[in-house]
């Protein structure tokens, strides 16, 4: 992984820490039903190409009927391909 990609990954982890703090500070549901931040990391290793992936999903504001959340994703591979996605979403429960 190149130095630039490592810096992007570190920035993603820093943002992850910030979003987790925001999500837990504004959670308005009871502890039993409140959605919690989720951080996933994984990879696929092969002979010709290896991939590393990281994803964060974190609620920013939530109540019993809806949630506003942030979604961050990062992918890097051994062929110097990389991808970063950031999103903001809303879900309403029926």
């Amino acid at each position: 992984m190149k130095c630039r990609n490592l810096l992007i990954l570190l920035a993603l982890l820093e943002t992850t820490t910030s979003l987790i703090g925001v999500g837990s500070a504004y959670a308005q549901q009871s502890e039993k039903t409140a959605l919690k931040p989720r951080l996933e990391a994984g990879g696929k290793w092969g002979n010709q190409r290896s991939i590393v992936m990281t994803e964060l999903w974190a609620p920013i504001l939530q109540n019993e009927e809806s949630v506003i959340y942030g979604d961050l994703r990062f992918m890097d591979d051994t062929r110097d391909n990389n991808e970063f996605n950031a999103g903001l979403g809303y879900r309403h429960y029926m």
Side-chain angles (χ1 to χ4, degrees):
M1 193 180 300
K2 289 185 174 182
C3 183
R4 181 187 66 144
N5 295 341
L6 183 58
L7 291 175
I8 291 171
L9 183 58
L10 291 174
L12 176 62
L13 292 175
E14 179 65 31
T15 305
T16 299
T17 306
S18 300
L19 281 177
I20 288 173
V22 169
S24 58
Y26 288 102
Q28 297 173 2
Q29 290 181 291
S30 70
E31 194 62 32
K32 291 180 183 177
T33 59
L35 297 169
K36 298 196 176 10
R38 181 183 78 234
L39 177 64
E40 296 180 5
K44 298 177 183 178
W45 287 264
N47 293 335
Q48 297 179 11
R49 182 180 180 210
S50 297
I51 302 171
V52 176
M53 298 170 284
T54 305
E55 178 183 348
L56 168 72
W57 183 94
I60 298 169
L61 293 171
Q62 61 179 307
N63 60 35
E64 292 180 7
E65 297 177 357
S66 61
V67 60
I68 296 173
Y69 61 91
D71 186 12
L72 298 174
R73 299 171 191 217
F74 175 77
M75 184 279 298
D76 187 48
D77 72 7
T78 54
R79 294 183 180 169
D80 291 330
N81 296 311
N82 53 51
E83 177 180 322
F84 176 77
N85 297 295
L88 184 65
Y90 173 79
R91 289 187 182 164
H92 180 76
Y93 306 112
M94 303 186 92

